Amino acid sequence: MGNWERLVWNQRHLLLDGLVVTVEICLIAFAAAILGGLVLCLVRLYVRPLRQVAIALIEFFRATPIFVQLLWVNYVWPELFGWPGSFFTAGWVALALQSSGYLAETFRAGIEAVPRGQREAGLSAGMSHPLVFRRIVLPQVLLMVAPSLVNQFTVIVKSSTLVSVITVQDLMFQSQKIVNTWLDPIEILTATAAIYILVVFAVSALGKALADLLRRRYGLAAS
Amino acid sequence: MSSIPAISVVDVHKSFGPLAVLKGVSFDVPRGSVVSMIGASGSGKSTLLRCINHLETPSAGEIYIDGEPMHFRVAGDGQRKPRPIAEINRLRRDLGMVFQQFNLWPHMTVLGNVVEAPRRVRGLKRSEAGELALECLRRVHLLDKAGEYPARLSGGQQQRVAIARALAMQPKAMLFDEATSSLDPELTDEVLAVMRDLARDGTTMIVVTHEMRFAREVSDRVLFLHNGLIEEAGAPEEVFGAPKSERCRQFLSKYLPKYVQ
Ligand SMILES: Nc1ncnc2c1ncn2[C@@H]1O[C@H](COP(=O)(O)OP(=O)(O)OP(=O)(O)O)[C@@H](O)[C@H]1O
Ligand SMILES: [Mg+2]
């Protein structure tokens, strides 16, 4: 038991700091991925001249391994664009890129699943296309894709362990630091795994509760 | 009352690629009157209604709402120009449309469905729009369902909500595209009853329907569409009682046994 106390409990402040960074970077990446995915999907569907560009970007983001993207954004972007300036930013941008590719496709499926007649009902009442999208299509798409969104968030949490490679001081980074200091990996890595499991589990449970609540509220059949 | 018709359809053509669906249709709908449109599947009834409120753009011809051209406007130099989309949206408010598939918005309550357009399009205040919506729900006898979500209503109730939603824009005319065709027979009557009330209250209506008895009782005028043309038109007693066209007679024989010879 001595090891647990020495390696885990006594290091709890380090671990907690790391957890805060993990949560931060994941939330920012998630928000950016939703926004990016929505933009990519709207451009793909509604902006004819840029359609092929959007498709290429979506495929590129989805097909490149997250590790490669991370290094690419961190080392190549500053050379090309002079941005991002920090490891933390590079971290969430890379995480967001990949997820935005997946979410763009998720959103597209959701938009195409809203029956055309509902849009026509809005138009025939004099609503403009943007108003129809915002008031009729988007809320239903969000309801529909809520489970996929939650799932994508857990993917981000798991992928986020890689940002320690570019020295972002997240939970994984701190845990490795402790391992390297004490050269005793068993307890600390086990504890780290347990924390990640708890976070992912909590996110899933919360997401499921939210989706159930929304479905019940709107009287939509569970799907 | 002025003599300008509420809706005037003038030589409307519509093609989808090589397929000519409407081949020159003209008729007027005087204010406060009910025009029924009957015809076989594929004859172009839906396409015509959709052209009237610009869900489809006619290939040629024009539609006038209260004398105002819907699709084109005449510029200062006398040239016809397509209307910008914002103007079309404005004119579209004047036409309420009821679809075969109801097309309610499932994420909004019944009341939410009915207030939506008055609030967002006409810019009414929440309280004004709410009052108006309740009045419309009362007309379709669904005041007690205001807080429900559409998924919990029967088909007949959903269609009546759709009618209330269209009425809430206080349109100059209502367009019904087979409003009862996807309903079970026992739910058809409650919707037809609401439509009868509207007709009696002087609502201008174009009704595409397969309910011949309803068309006969309620309409001021009946149009029989065949292959994208008006094949026969007249008062209901004429069209149903003594159709001049052989095709119309054949069509009606499927619905009214007395024509079977
Ligand atoms: N968007 C479209 N693109 C191509 N063809 C179309 C389109 N909309 C309608 N059509 C065709 O136009 C013809 C007339 O269709 P329409 O829906 O107007 O008929 P209808 O009289 O309403 O028939 P129903 O009684 O079955 O509703 C059909 O042959 C149909 O396939
Ligand atoms: Mg039709």
Side-chain angles (χ1 to χ4, degrees), chain A residues 116-118 120-128 131 135-136 139-140 143 216-220, chain B residues 50 53 89 92-93 95 97 99 103-108 116-117 120-121 149 151-152 165 169:
Chain A
R116 195 171 66 138
Q118 287 185 28
E120 292 183 340
L123 293 174
S124 70
M127 293 170 79
S128 65
L131 192 59
R135 297 285 308 166
I136 295 168
Q140 294 189 67
L143 269 178
R216 223 169 309 123
R217 165 141 188 239
Y218 292 108
L220 301 175
Chain B
R50 293 166 60 82
N53 72 356
N89 283 341
R92 246 194 314 222
R93 297 177 202 181
L95 299 171
M97 178 100 168
F99 302 84
N103 294 336
L104 294 182
W105 303 313
H107 59 299
M108 298 179 186
E116 182 66 15
R120 311 275 160 186
V121 177
Y149 282 91
R152 291 197 231 269
R165 176 175 69 178
M169 285 302 281

Side-chain angles (χ1 to χ4, degrees), chain A:
Chain A
M1 260 4 259
N3 265 0
W4 282 98
E5 189 176 343
R6 184 164 54 92
L7 295 174
V8 178
W9 180 247
N10 289 350
Q11 308 295 336
R12 62 187 184 278
H13 298 297
L14 272 185
L15 291 177
L16 199 66
D17 287 351
L19 183 61
V20 169
V21 172
T22 291
V23 169
E24 263 174 17
I25 206 167
C26 289
L27 284 178
I28 296 174
F30 187 50
I34 290 177
L35 211 68
L38 202 55
V39 169
L40 281 173
C41 146
L42 289 179
V43 169
R44 170 170 190 171
L45 284 177
Y46 303 120
V47 188
R48 260 289 150 72
L50 294 179
R51 201 179 115 92
Q52 293 304 327
V53 178
I55 292 177
L57 284 177
I58 291 168
E59 288 309 315
F60 176 70
F61 293 158
R62 293 199 320 164
T64 13
I66 180 70
F67 188 52
V68 176
Q69 249 164 30
L70 193 62
L71 298 184
W72 185 59
V73 170
N74 190 52
Y75 296 114
V76 180
W77 280 28
E79 301 291 326
L80 291 181
F81 315 120
W83 189 84
S86 77
F87 296 134
F88 183 84
T89 309
W92 68 254
V93 169
L95 289 173
L97 282 188
Q98 186 171 52
S99 287
S100 70
Y102 282 102
L103 289 182
E105 291 300 272
T106 308
F107 286 135
R108 183 169 68 103
I111 288 173
E112 284 171 352
V114 175
R116 195 171 66 138
Q118 287 185 28
R119 271 179 286 226
E120 292 183 340
L123 293 174
S124 70
M127 293 170 79
S128 65
H129 282 276
L131 192 59
V132 165
F133 184 79
R134 190 162 59 79
R135 297 285 308 166
I136 295 168
V137 178
L138 190 58
Q140 294 189 67
V141 170
L142 292 180
L143 269 178
M144 249 184 287
V145 305
S148 314
L149 283 183
V150 172
N151 187 47
Q152 197 61 40
F153 189 63
T154 64
V155 170
I156 290 180
V157 172
K158 286 181 271 187
S159 307
S160 76
T161 52
L162 284 169
V163 299
S164 56
V165 172
I166 57 168
T167 73
V168 174
Q169 310 203 343
D170 73 332
L171 177 59
M172 195 63 221
F173 181 91
Q174 302 294 9
S175 145
Q176 277 177 299
K177 201 163 99 180
I178 298 168
V179 170
N180 292 337
T181 312
W182 301 88
L183 299 175
D184 207 347
I186 296 176
E187 288 83 1
I188 184 68
L189 286 185
T190 307
T192 306
I195 297 175
Y196 275 112
I197 289 172
L198 280 178
V199 170
V200 168
F201 183 77
V203 168
S204 302
L206 212 75
K208 189 178 173 324
L210 189 73
D212 284 351
L213 188 86
L214 291 173
R215 276 216 199 82
R216 223 169 309 123
R217 165 141 188 239
Y218 292 108
L220 301 175
S223 52

Side-chain angles (χ1 to χ4, degrees), chain B residues 45-46 100 177-178 208:
Chain B
K45 308 179 296 293
S46 297
Q100 184 177 341
D177 191 359
E178 298 195 28
V208 170

